[in-house]
Amino acid sequence: MRNVIYAINLTLDGCCDHTKFNPAEDLHEHYTRLLRDDAGVLVHGRKTYQLMVPYWPDIAKSQSETKEDIEFAQAFDSKKKIVFSRSLGSAEDENTRIVRTNLRDEILKLKQEPGKDILVGGVDIPSQLIELGLVDEYRFVVAPIVVGKGRRLFEGVNLPEKLQLKLVESKVFKSGSVALRYLKQ
């Protein structure tokens, strides 16, 4: 059975709004490895999808950025993507499928399919999946920044009971950012 992995960047004060801070450049290799080694399918909501596409596919095609950016872009572009949206009319690439049905049922179906894990990004869809108890692994990269404003991680998430996680890996980057990998217990 495939796991659902939630990965996101955030600040020390819990801000996960990427319009309020820029993640460090030394994280591209970390996320490229995550895409290449662990992810079989990417799941996003409309907002996150539109932040990522066409930006990263364009970089993959143009090869106009740094080596690290291009490698990340190619890894991202090669993955199948599922976008949960009621308002998105069409996908911008052939690797993307728009889903308008029940989130829970679709994720449970994906978990049963063979292949690498399901990588979830953004805030809204992961928050719903956390409430449903469907996230198996959490990968946070915490930036050494305090922004004092912006959307906070888990803001508005209502859990039926406390969620206990086990730290299984950590890594400190040159930028001072820290990657933390937790498994649901």
Side-chain angles (χ1 to χ4, degrees):
M1 180 183 288
R2 300 202 287 187
N3 286 324
V4 173
I5 300 171
Y6 176 34
I8 193 163
N9 297 318
L10 62 147
T11 63
L12 283 171
D13 58 341
C15 178
C16 55
D17 180 344
H18 289 136
T19 66
K20 307 295 182 214
F21 73 102
N22 290 322
E25 284 296 317
D26 61 351
L27 302 179
H28 280 295
E29 183 182 332
H30 170 76
Y31 282 111
T32 300
R33 256 186 284 112
L34 175 59
L35 287 171
R36 285 187 185 152
D37 299 347
D38 299 332
V41 63
L42 308 179
V43 173
H44 300 293
R46 179 193 55 80
K47 292 176 196 171
T48 302
Y49 175 74
Q50 289 179 321
L51 284 172
M52 304 293 276
V53 175
Y55 182 79
W56 289 112
D58 286 351
I59 289 175
K61 289 178 190 117
S62 73
Q63 306 263 322
S64 61
E65 297 294 326
T66 66
K67 176 182 176 262
E68 293 80 10
D69 282 349
I70 293 167
E71 287 175 357
F72 175 85
Q74 290 171 337
F76 175 82
D77 196 36
S78 71
K79 296 299 174 181
K80 290 183 181 181
K81 297 163 197 72
I82 295 177
V83 180
F84 285 91
S85 175
R86 290 183 288 275
S87 62
L88 189 62
S90 63
E92 295 207 20
D93 67 335
E94 66 278 353
N95 285 344
T96 301
R97 179 168 59 98
I98 299 172
V99 177
R100 302 181 199 289
T101 58
N102 184 288
L103 174 66
R104 180 184 177 279
D105 293 346
E106 184 69 26
I107 295 298
L108 287 173
K109 186 173 81 176
L110 284 171
K111 285 177 74 108
Q112 297 301 319
E113 292 177 1
K116 292 181 180 181
D117 291 329
I118 303 159
L119 182 60
V120 183
V123 179
D124 293 333
I125 296 298
S127 293
Q128 293 173 54
L129 292 173
I130 292 165
E131 288 178 351
L132 292 167
L134 295 176
V135 175
D136 304 294
E137 186 173 324
Y138 297 80
R139 297 195 188 186
F140 303 129
V141 175
V142 182
I145 302 166
V146 176
V147 294
K149 60 184 174 183
R151 186 164 187 184
R152 299 295 191 262
L153 191 63
F154 303 128
E155 195 170 70
V157 172
N158 296 307
L159 297 174
E161 59 186 42
K162 178 174 65 174
L163 182 61
Q164 188 67 44
L165 304 176
K166 178 181 180 182
L167 180 66
V168 294
E169 187 178 348
S170 64
K171 178 181 178 179
V172 178
F173 295 92
K174 290 178 186 173
S175 63
S177 294
V178 179
L180 303 166
R181 180 177 172 215
Y182 292 96
L183 298 179
K184 183 168 79 172
Q185 290 190 356

